[in-house]
Amino acid sequence: MRERPLSPHMSVYRMTRYSLLTSIGNRATGLLLSIGLLMLVCWLAALAGGARVYAKVLAAFAAPAYKLVYAALLAAFAYHLIAGIRHLIWDTGHGLERAQSQRSAHLVIAAAAVLAAACIWWALAPHGAAP
Amino acid sequence: MSLRTPLAQVRGLGAAGEGVHHWWAQRVTAVALVPLAAWFLVSLLTLPALDYATVSAWLHGIWSATLMVLFVACAAWHSRLGVQVVIEDYVHDCGLKATALVLSVFVHVVVALAGVFAVLRVAFGSG
């Protein structure tokens, strides 16, 4: 069979174009947040299981290694929120020009970094109430 | 010339027969999750402690229980739609793809129901 023509695939796009990276980042952080949802439901189920079960689960979730998980989840939340709002704006038909999407990609990365840093500082710095 | 029948064109449901339902549901849950997720994060971080008494007293409140049920339900729905697209795009083997899609739906339904049931049990509990 003769080779058929193919539409442009991944390799034709330049990864240095932040628009592509920000879009894939939205998927990756979304998947991470799905795991976060799983942890949230475990926490809720432990709460429903009574004081003894809850104390055990809370002690497990308070392990130092989990700080890294919470930091990752908070960063994912910050990024997914900001990038998601950009997608919602795109859905209205605005900001789709190449120069605009380049600019908003930089804006998303900067805003998400600031929000992530703020969330992590609030939740995980010694003054916080989080586990 | 379109090969679609006039009726199919008017209905606008496309080849899969679902129209823009997936796209629209993903957007609506996204919009709902902005305030819900912000509420959850702020509430959790402003609780004086995370011990059993404090957290269960907090979830006893009508507002916190209602918003928590909404948050878990919306998050699970939004996650189910998002994971579905990721599987469709990156899992190429047909059998594996179908298995992963069905498994994802099962897991999401279980997660949503378990979360909602847990919140209601705490909210209706005596503690």
Side-chain angles (χ1 to χ4, degrees):
Chain A
M1 198 160 67
R2 218 148 45 94
E3 283 273 312
R4 293 188 197 172
L6 291 169
S7 62
H9 197 51
M10 293 296 285
S11 53
V12 307
Y13 300 108
R14 269 184 288 174
M15 273 299 191
T16 49
R17 291 271 171 214
Y18 285 108
S19 267
L20 182 58
L21 280 181
T22 46
S23 178
I24 288 173
N26 205 32
R27 287 194 164 184
T29 50
L31 283 182
L32 207 62
L33 290 171
S34 295
I35 297 168
L37 175 66
L38 215 60
M39 290 171 63
L40 168 66
V41 169
C42 285
W43 179 69
L44 287 172
L47 195 66
R52 269 195 30 229
V53 179
Y54 182 75
K56 248 188 226 168
V57 171
L58 193 69
F61 275 180
Y66 270 99
K67 285 220 168 185
L68 211 63
V69 177
Y70 301 132
L73 285 174
L74 286 166
F77 165 73
Y79 183 86
H80 202 75
L81 176 69
I82 304 281
I85 289 171
R86 178 170 174 241
H87 273 275
L88 288 173
I89 293 171
W90 275 343
D91 290 337
T92 67
H94 293 90
L96 289 165
E97 293 299 326
R98 194 155 70 168
Q100 289 174 323
S101 82
Q102 271 299 300
R103 215 175 322 131
S104 64
H106 289 122
L107 201 65
V108 162
I109 292 169
V114 171
L115 183 62
C119 286
I120 290 170
W121 176 77
W122 189 18
L124 297 179
H127 63 83
Chain B
M1 189 197 79
S2 170
L3 289 173
R4 305 192 67 86
T5 65
L7 181 61
Q9 280 181 20
V10 169
R11 281 185 173 152
L13 296 180
E18 289 208 0
V20 294
H21 178 256
H22 183 286
W23 182 89
W24 185 242
Q26 197 165 33
R27 268 61 186 178
V28 173
T29 49
V31 170
L33 278 169
V34 173
L36 286 172
W39 163 81
F40 169 70
L41 196 64
V42 171
S43 308
L44 196 67
L45 292 178
T46 49
L47 279 177
L50 286 177
D51 61 293
Y52 180 77
T54 313
V55 178
S56 61
W58 168 61
L59 265 191
H60 257 291
I62 177 108
W63 273 111
S64 35
T66 306
L67 291 175
M68 199 63 176
V69 165
L70 285 173
F71 177 52
V72 169
C74 280
W77 193 359
H78 189 78
S79 167
R80 174 229 172 287
L81 296 169
V83 171
Q84 178 194 343
V85 175
V86 171
I87 293 171
E88 284 168 352
D89 281 0
Y90 301 123
V91 181
H92 298 301
D93 180 82
C94 199
L96 203 61
K97 180 185 288 192
T99 312
L101 284 172
V102 173
L103 203 65
S104 158
V105 173
F106 284 177
V107 170
H108 277 100
V109 170
V110 168
V111 164
L113 286 182
V116 169
F117 178 73
V119 173
L120 293 182
R121 187 163 177 191
V122 174
F124 288 133
S126 55

